[in-house]
Amino acid sequence: MNEPVVLLLLQHLFPEWAVTRDERGLWRISNGRLIWSGDLGSMLALLAAADPGAARRAVRSLRESG
């Protein structure tokens, strides 16, 4: 999946979080707290730990659309 698609998907799944990727390739998500990671998998794990409710809603949304 390419970066613009990933960003759009994450913004849709986690609307309460601002999701960006900076010029160095770091994924950054913020919602009063800032989380960043160099790879997408680690960033998603950190997001799930920081906001388990949002992670559950995202999984439920993906299941419903598939």
Side-chain angles (χ1 to χ4, degrees), residues 7 10-11 14 16-21 26-37 40 42-51:
L7 284 170
L10 291 174
Q11 290 166 349
F14 299 97
E16 58 277 351
W17 289 84
V19 181
T20 60
R21 192 147 190 218
L26 288 176
W27 290 93
R28 296 176 173 271
I29 53 175
S30 62
N31 177 3
R33 295 173 279 179
L34 177 62
I35 300 170
W36 69 92
S37 178
L40 180 59
S42 295
M43 191 270 303
L44 289 173
L46 291 168
L47 175 58
D51 193 344

Side-chain angles (χ1 to χ4, degrees), residues 2-23:
N2 66 29
E3 183 178 312
V5 172
V6 170
L7 284 170
L8 284 173
L9 179 60
L10 291 174
Q11 290 166 349
H12 172 75
L13 292 172
F14 299 97
E16 58 277 351
W17 289 84
V19 181
T20 60
R21 192 147 190 218
D22 71 14
E23 64 282 349

